[in-house]
Amino acid sequence: MRPGSHGGEIVPFPLPRAPHPQPVQVAFERAELMRILDLYGRMVAAGEWRDYAMDFTRDFASFAAFRRTADVPQMRVEKRPALRGRQGMWALFGEHGQVLKRGHELAGVLAPMERRLLKVVEG
């Protein structure tokens, strides 16, 4: 037998690697949630918002802010990791469900609400 040959030796066939399991739900990281709640707190202090709701599903995490509890959300920010490579995983929606801003960074997506807060405080 030549060196390096496997004459009679059984060589195991490599098994395919299991795909990464799909997460049970998408969630906000601590820093993301702190950034969102900081904006929420300032809007509450300015008298603009009074309630919020969060939703966590397999596809997205959502934070919605309300002027009054029974209203439709005045704004909603969503994190959709599946869109990370395309238009960005962050999206800001207005009262009527229209997309106000999309992006790869949370700070940039929240910028329209930050500007609105400045107008409320100055006005």
Side-chain angles (χ1 to χ4, degrees), residues 50-97:
R50 290 201 176 96
D51 200 6
Y52 72 90
M54 288 191 281
D55 189 17
F56 303 98
T57 72
R58 174 174 294 228
D59 299 319
F60 68 91
S62 172
F63 181 94
F66 299 83
R67 187 181 305 273
R68 287 177 290 280
T69 305
D71 282 350
V72 296
Q74 195 171 20
M75 83 82 184
R76 188 175 83 245
V77 64
E78 280 187 3
K79 176 183 179 180
R80 289 186 180 264
L83 298 178
R84 177 181 285 124
R86 294 195 291 246
Q87 66 260 45
M89 71 175 166
W90 294 100
L92 178 68
F93 296 89
E95 284 182 81
H96 306 291

Side-chain angles (χ1 to χ4, degrees), residues 40-53:
Y40 174 77
R42 290 183 288 140
M43 291 295 268
V44 168
E48 288 293 301
W49 295 342
R50 290 201 176 96
D51 200 6
Y52 72 90

Side-chain angles (χ1 to χ4, degrees), residues 103-118:
H104 296 279
E105 299 294 325
L106 177 59
V109 171
L110 291 179
M113 298 311 298
E114 299 277 357
R115 284 193 296 275
R116 181 175 173 181
L117 177 62
L118 288 176

Side-chain angles (χ1 to χ4, degrees), residues 30-40 42 106-108 110 114:
R30 180 182 294 264
E32 296 165 348
L33 188 57
M34 294 304 293
R35 179 84 189 228
I36 293 167
L37 288 174
D38 176 65
L39 173 63
Y40 174 77
R42 290 183 288 140
L106 177 59
L110 291 179
E114 299 277 357

